[in-house]
Amino acid sequence: MMNILVVDVGGSHVKIMRNGEGEERKMSSGPDLSAQAMVDGVTRMAHDWTFDVVSIGYPGPVVHGRPLHDPVNLGPGWAGFDFAAGFGRPVKLCNDAAMQALGSYRGGRMLFLGLGTGLGSAMIVDGVLEPMELAHLPYKKHTFEYYVGEAALEKRGKRKWRKAVDDVVARLQAALEPDYVVIGGGNVRHLDSLPPGVQRGDNKYAFVGGVRLWETDRPASNGAPGQSALQHP
């Protein structure tokens, strides 16, 4: 059995788990965390774990298995970094929302929305994963992310934030026509109720998705359309 180290990189914490189950370990991230510092920190946290390969959920656009640019909420040095050399293992890297979407998928047409520091998004249609960047689409006077990201929650309060989440979900449901929507990310806990057709996700599914990246019937994750996803957990 292959041992898979799954790394979920977020704006507040970097969390790791082996083979998507058991003990979760984490460290703080933040605006000073570089790619090398992440690798060094993860290596320290996993010092007593044996692992053959690594999956990384990255908080930003990923093209051909590499970050398109440095993340907004973290430090420098991510774009162009050689993660396989850093870990000394084969690495598959994909957008963090896409990785959590993979772990949440139960078949059909699923839209995944991640409520965290920003707004992550991905869609899986009949087993094909399509990472998306819906956060910065125009909405009202700003963008979707401006109204449903963590800064909006803190600035505008839960009532207005929840109202904006409901409206954004309804608009995306109408536009993309998914069979169901999964809302994950750390801030889903602030939603007391969910709109029709919406299921509550959990950050733990990012670790399931990280394992699924290495399933033998899947091609390498590269953030491009046409990736095969598993139909069932």
Side-chain angles (χ1 to χ4, degrees):
M1 178 179 178
M2 181 167 57
N3 289 310
I4 303 167
L5 176 66
V6 183
V7 182
D8 186 13
V9 180
S12 302
H13 294 92
V14 176
K15 295 176 284 188
I16 66 171
M17 188 180 286
R18 188 173 61 170
N19 279 45
E21 58 187 19
E23 179 185 4
E24 175 189 309
R25 300 176 182 180
K26 66 180 180 180
M27 69 179 192
S28 296
S29 55
D32 296 325
L33 186 75
S34 66
Q36 185 62 60
M38 182 277 289
V39 171
D40 293 342
V42 167
T43 301
R44 287 192 296 270
M45 285 195 292
H47 70 94
D48 57 338
W49 287 352
T50 299
F51 56 95
D52 305 302
V53 296
V54 181
S55 295
I56 301 175
Y58 176 77
V62 174
V63 177
H64 302 304
R66 296 180 178 275
L68 187 60
H69 52 66
D70 286 351
V72 175
N73 301 305
L74 301 178
W78 296 78
F81 186 83
D82 190 338
F83 292 95
F87 282 108
R89 308 284 197 287
V91 171
K92 290 185 179 181
L93 184 144
C94 74
N95 172 263
D96 57 345
M99 192 164 80
Q100 193 171 149
L102 271 180
S104 305
Y105 186 58
R106 300 295 182 271
R109 296 170 56 88
M110 182 195 76
L111 172 64
F112 175 86
L113 299 172
L115 297 175
T117 305
L119 173 66
S121 55
M123 194 159 184
I124 302 178
V125 179
D126 297 334
V128 179
L129 170 65
E130 178 62 61
M132 306 179 83
E133 291 292 327
L134 301 176
H136 305 296
L137 291 178
Y139 174 64
K140 294 185 177 181
K141 295 181 179 180
H142 297 281
T143 63
F144 286 132
E145 184 170 276
Y146 181 90
Y147 289 95
V148 302
E150 190 162 10
L153 174 61
E154 295 173 356
K155 180 180 179 180
R156 306 179 75 230
K158 285 186 181 179
R159 186 181 66 82
K160 290 184 178 180
W161 178 82
R162 288 168 177 162
K163 185 177 180 180
V165 169
D166 286 348
D167 188 51
V168 167
V169 170
R171 289 170 183 262
L172 293 175
Q173 282 178 307
L176 299 172
E177 299 184 329
D179 297 325
Y180 59 103
V181 178
V182 174
I183 299 182
N187 286 333
V188 70
R189 69 185 186 276
H190 297 300
L191 297 176
D192 290 336
S193 60
L194 298 175
V198 177
Q199 302 175 14
R200 190 179 302 272
D202 193 297
N203 283 343
K204 68 183 181 182
Y205 290 117
F207 296 113
V208 177
V211 172
R212 287 181 171 182
L213 287 176
W214 291 95
E215 292 293 331
T216 56
D217 60 344
R218 289 178 44 81
S221 175
N222 58 11
Q227 295 184 107
S228 171
L230 295 181
Q231 294 290 337
H232 302 286

